[in-house]
Amino acid sequence: MSAHCQLTGARPGFGNNISHSHRRTSRRFDPNVQRKRYWLPSEGRNIRLTLSVKAIKTVDSIGVEAAVARIRARGVKV
């Protein structure tokens, strides 16, 4: 599963681990991405979205229809 959110577009960030001796090695900061299933009443079907936890809270507040409209406006197929 790719680590990006369909609603917010959150993607992994990159940086360095720094050891006690101050050696740097590459690391990756992944967003907390979950696959969640929602009922879409306008289409009469379930949809499965890959969302960050922040986006799940956004869907809870604005509703599934508005969230799907935002996702489609970004050009992502649902």
Side-chain angles (χ1 to χ4, degrees), residues 65-78:
E65 298 287 342
V68 169
R70 284 188 192 180
I71 291 170
R72 287 181 174 151
R74 292 184 69 237
V76 178
K77 184 181 174 191
V78 176

Side-chain angles (χ1 to χ4, degrees), residues 4-78:
H4 75 277
C5 175
Q6 289 179 314
L7 182 61
T8 62
R11 291 188 178 272
F14 294 91
N16 291 311
N17 282 323
I18 302 180
S19 70
H20 180 70
S21 64
H22 218 65
R23 288 176 62 103
R24 292 181 165 99
T25 56
S26 195
R27 68 159 293 176
R28 181 173 150 142
F29 297 92
D30 285 328
N32 189 1
V33 172
Q34 311 291 323
R35 284 180 58 88
K36 187 136 170 64
R37 198 173 78 157
Y38 289 101
W39 172 252
L40 196 58
S42 65
E43 297 181 15
R45 67 183 181 108
N46 286 316
I47 56 169
R48 190 176 300 271
L49 300 174
T50 305
L51 301 171
S52 63
V53 174
K54 181 181 177 182
I56 290 173
K57 293 175 186 176
T58 303
V59 170
D60 290 343
S61 66
I62 68 171
V64 180
E65 298 287 342
V68 169
R70 284 188 192 180
I71 291 170
R72 287 181 174 151
R74 292 184 69 237
V76 178
K77 184 181 174 191
V78 176

